[in-house]
Amino acid sequence: MRKLLLLGLALLMVFGLAACTTPEEGPVEENGLNGEPEEEVVPGDNEIIVALLSDGDSLDPHKVTQAASMRLIENMYSTLMRYQEGTHGELEPDLAADYEVSEDATEYTFYLHEGVTFHNSGRELTSEDVKYSVERIIENEVRADQFSAVEEILTPDPYTVTFKLSEPVAPFLTYLAYPMNAIVDREVVEANGGSLDNADAGSGPFQLVEWVKDQHLILEKYPDYFVDGLPYLDRVVFRPIPDETARTTAIRNQEIDIIVEVTYRDVEILEGADGVLLESVPGTFWEYVGINTVPEPLNDVRVRQAIAHAIDRHEVNDMIKFGRATVLEGGVIPPGHWAYADLQIYPERDLDRAMELLEEAGYGDGFSLEIKGGADFEDQVDAAQLLRQQLQDVGIEAEVLAQESGIFFDALGAGDF
């Protein structure tokens, strides 16, 4: 039986829920790296409690594939570049104070901020840490393909690092801004036997205090963070609350301050609730069906295209996302992004084209496969069941398998889907 990994379908609107007190104590309107607080921030007692749908499974930025882990990790680490706040994918330097790109785009030189220190050791971050981190990313293989063109990494002095590429790589700066391509403290990695699953090797705005799996993760402001005046918060507590009723009850009772992963059922329940502020903005988080291209018959591009034509994205949006998502019809880059291309490859479901492609590939009589989804994410399982019904219309028999997150993401990382 061939396996098809399910991670959903459509680009989402990003919902956030925040518990409100009095207007005088309301939320800060601009509180990111580039914004200024609306009111004066008094250090020492600024804490928020954030509810997550599920807990992470590791704190190692170079190994994780699970979104829940990434939401924890990105607060602890810095990267050479970062996404500019308030934009759709525009970049700016982070650990790099400045950078240069050669005329043929095969050499990138970064000049690091001086005086950046790591949380655990207080040791200064240098170009050797950058080199070590990128080499570790490559060794861990999860995102090694992003650096496949890197031929050499030079560190002529502690604050200069140069990447020599075998060919131009258009998204190279974007890869260096990806939060999981973080710069880590090599000494902490070595002290933990090569693993950062339960350790903090970062230099970011927050440092790890405690992680009790499935209960809470506590971060505190790193007092020596290299960006002056940041972060505004003194303490952040992440609490995994997988039960939908428990989450909505907690936000209404002000036991938590924020839900950042708001399900559409939560939206229906909490819209208009007293003391709760709901905000929705276009986001770059997207859900998709990932197909293993190694085994037959999924190694045939015509079969994969047939699956794409057989899926009704609009029905998934209506039935699973309550019509609140944006359907992607040709690529994963959302409308409004500078690189968005209105490709219209799959504007509507096309069963005739799907059957035609299956016939060409020699699977006109259909075949069977398995759709895996994360059991902790009800939307995924519901979407998988809907896809199972849709694929039956072209003779593809699918079995839905809901897996606990740890098993699901371990299988994904191992290519077992």
Side-chain angles (χ1 to χ4, degrees), residues 84-98:
Q84 189 173 349
E85 185 185 356
T87 69
H88 290 281
E90 294 182 23
L91 305 175
E92 63 184 5
D94 188 10
L95 288 172
D98 200 2

Side-chain angles (χ1 to χ4, degrees), residues 373-405:
D376 296 340
F377 305 97
E378 188 176 351
D379 280 3
Q380 283 195 11
V381 180
D382 290 346
Q385 295 291 356
L386 180 55
L387 293 178
R388 181 184 65 81
Q389 297 172 22
Q390 293 178 354
L391 292 175
Q392 284 179 335
D393 292 340
V394 292
I396 299 175
E397 294 297 327
E399 178 185 358
V400 174
L401 178 61
Q403 294 183 316
E404 182 271 330
S405 284

Side-chain angles (χ1 to χ4, degrees), residues 28-43:
V28 171
E29 300 232 345
E30 294 288 343
N31 58 1
L33 289 175
N34 301 317
E36 293 295 332
E38 188 179 56
E39 299 175 6
E40 182 181 357
V41 176
V42 180

Side-chain angles (χ1 to χ4, degrees), residues 72-93:
L72 306 176
I73 293 167
E74 64 183 354
N75 300 281
M76 299 157 54
Y77 287 87
S78 298
T79 48
L80 276 179
M81 303 291 291
R82 69 179 174 217
Y83 302 114
Q84 189 173 349
E85 185 185 356
T87 69
H88 290 281
E90 294 182 23
L91 305 175
E92 63 184 5

